[in-house]
């Protein structure tokens, strides 16, 4: 497990949140992307070696919509950069962590991702995140 | 605003959480510290250029105790590394962000810190964090 790749923040209005986070971090969003399978629109800002990912739900079925309904806007997950997601998934499974997907799935920003259940990590939703070369 | 200096995670039992996060990140806690003024005990883990700070309340008056009572365990704040905290505080104030302290205060891990109200940042408690040379 390496650096924090990004922190995902669940927001109601990604346009308004973009204005706020561009002012806060004094940098512009460098990429926006919709992930149809997750029913989200995302916007990325770079801050040093790390990223902030703003997430807005595009459907009431989205995990982001449900999160906001339950907890309000706020930090949704922490993603850690990994070199070999399959190896890291096997290691964490052996350590007793509960993985939310058995195989890596395709995430935003050219990544293979896997989520770890927050029940085993003090309420924190953890994402493993491996870069994919196109 | 530079890299994510650390992510603060509010936990009920820092000993149990240390075991979990040492296994998750495959690294040992490199520092524990009590901050009497904040009524917390902290434990730090390094992950690449970033840190995870586990926080346990030492008193019911602690912001961490209140956070857990209201929201349960989970991510409490994101801290960004800044070079000049006074300049950054002035910049954010001018941008309309609400600062929770007028002057930088002393935090854990040899830092000067200032918090930004989550009301203006989509529910995310932001910490500015400047390293202090002893």
């Amino acid at each position: 497990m390496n650096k924090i790749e990004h922190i995902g923040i669940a927001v109601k209005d990604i346009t308004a949140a973009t204005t706020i986070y561009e002012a806060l971090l004094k940098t512009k969003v460098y990429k926006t992307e919709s992930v149809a399978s997750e029913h989200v629109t995302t916007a990325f800002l770079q801050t040093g070696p790390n990223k902030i990912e703003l997430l807005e739900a595009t459907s009431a079925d989205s995990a982001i919509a449900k999160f906001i309904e339950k907890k309000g806007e706020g930090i949704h997950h922490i993603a850690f950069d990994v070199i070999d997601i399959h190896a890291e998934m096997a290691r964490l499974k052996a350590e007793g962590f509960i993985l939310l997907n058995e195989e890596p799935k395709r995430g935003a920003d050219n990544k293979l991702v896997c989520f770890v259940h927050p029940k085993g990590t003090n309420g924190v939703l953890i994402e493993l995140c491996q870069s994919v070369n196109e």
Side-chain angles (χ1 to χ4, degrees), chain A residues 60-133:
Chain A
D61 294 334
S62 157
I64 296 302
K66 289 174 190 161
F67 177 89
I68 290 177
E69 197 183 316
K70 197 172 159 191
K71 302 197 172 188
E73 292 186 303
I75 301 169
H76 179 257
H77 65 270
I78 312 178
F80 291 97
D81 182 53
V82 299
I83 302 297
D84 179 344
I85 197 167
H86 290 92
E88 199 62 16
M89 286 170 69
R91 185 184 75 79
L92 292 180
K93 214 168 166 180
E95 289 277 11
F97 292 96
I98 304 156
L99 305 183
L100 290 178
N101 39 305
E102 283 295 310
E103 288 296 322
K105 57 182 184 175
R106 198 64 190 236
D109 202 29
N110 298 325
K111 303 289 181 192
L112 282 177
V113 306
C114 174
F115 286 90
V116 181
H117 200 298
K119 211 168 64 175
T121 51
N122 302 83
V124 180
L125 179 60
I126 304 276
E127 178 183 343
L128 311 179
C129 195
Q130 179 188 331
S131 289
V132 182
N133 294 322

Side-chain angles (χ1 to χ4, degrees), chain A residues 30-48:
Chain A
Y30 70 89
K31 182 197 255 190
T32 58
E33 189 179 348
S34 289
V35 185
S37 60
E38 302 286 337
H39 307 286
V40 291
T41 300
T42 66
F44 287 90
L45 300 101
Q46 188 85 34
T47 179

